[in-house]
Amino acid sequence: LCSYLRGLLTTRSTLIGIGVGKSTANATSATITFIFRDLTGLIGSILFSWKYSHSFGTEIKQWRLFADIINDIALTLELIS
C-alpha cells in the first residue's frame, strides 16, 4: 500500500513538473516522458535478471529484501524530483 501511494504521489509530481495543468503544457512531452521512464525500467529489469538469475534460487530472501530496498529508494528519489 505504501509503495502504491508513493507511486501515485510521484506520478502527480511528475505531471506537475512537466507542466500539466498549464496552458503551455504539451501532451506529447508528457507521453514521451512516461514512455521513456517505463522503457528504461523494463530494460533495466531485463538486464539485471539476465546477469543475476543464477543466484535467484539460492538467495531468494536476500534478493527480495534487495528489491524492496531498491524500490523504496527509487520511488523516494522520484518523489523528490
Side-chain angles (χ1 to χ4, degrees), residues 22-47:
K22 297 180 184 174
S23 60
T24 59
N26 186 351
T28 304
S29 67
T31 304
I32 291 171
T33 300
F34 278 106
I35 290 172
F36 182 70
R37 185 189 70 176
D38 291 343
L39 186 62
T40 54
L42 179 64
I43 291 171
S45 299
I46 291 170
L47 291 175

Side-chain angles (χ1 to χ4, degrees), residues 7-64:
L8 289 175
L9 289 174
T10 56
T11 301
R12 180 180 179 276
S13 297
T14 302
L15 290 172
I16 290 171
I18 59 176
V20 173
K22 297 180 184 174
S23 60
T24 59
N26 186 351
T28 304
S29 67
T31 304
I32 291 171
T33 300
F34 278 106
I35 290 172
F36 182 70
R37 185 189 70 176
D38 291 343
L39 186 62
T40 54
L42 179 64
I43 291 171
S45 299
I46 291 170
L47 291 175
F48 183 83
S49 297
W50 174 70
K51 180 150 177 74
Y52 294 104
S53 63
H54 64 279
S55 66
F56 282 172
T58 57
E59 303 168 355
I60 193 71
K61 289 182 182 179
Q62 291 173 340
W63 283 114
R64 178 63 187 164

